[in-house]
Amino acid sequence: MNSRLFEWIWHIKGSLTLSPGQTSEEALDRLAPLFRQTGTSHERGHGTLTFRKKDPVAQDKMSIFDGGVLEIERGRADWCSAIIL
């Protein structure tokens, strides 16, 4: 069976425009509390945040995700894209 048929079920992809003048580091700083949870590990570097979760507690707002990558991309308008596994 072709696994690409089911990939959309298990991956969330999206984007949003950053506030005017907001840097990628400021945007990731605002998200940082979401990744300071028990069972969560994360790494940041150059506009990217990669995270993994292992046995998250029910109170964790992102407990439904196993891991993912948040990336700030520079273009005509700054925007943040996310791929969450």
Side-chain angles (χ1 to χ4, degrees):
M1 181 173 281
N2 187 346
S3 64
R4 289 185 352 198
L5 295 174
F6 296 102
E7 184 175 323
W8 64 272
I9 295 173
W10 305 113
H11 292 82
I12 297 172
K13 296 179 183 182
S15 64
L16 58 95
T17 303
L18 297 179
S19 300
Q22 186 176 36
T23 68
S24 58
E25 291 307 310
E26 289 170 337
L28 293 176
D29 286 344
R30 291 188 67 190
L31 295 172
L34 293 172
F35 303 101
R36 291 187 195 126
Q37 300 292 324
T38 302
T40 303
S41 61
H42 69 282
E43 294 179 20
R44 281 179 57 174
H46 304 296
T48 301
L49 185 144
T50 304
F51 72 95
R52 292 271 175 237
K53 294 191 168 284
K54 182 176 181 179
D55 300 325
V57 294
Q59 295 81 8
D60 183 343
K61 292 179 180 178
M62 294 191 54
S63 64
I64 61 170
F65 303 110
D66 294 327
V69 177
L70 303 174
E71 182 177 50
I72 308 293
E73 295 182 358
R74 299 278 178 201
R76 201 169 1 155
D78 294 341
W79 58 286
C80 174
S81 66
I83 300 174
I84 303 176
L85 310 172

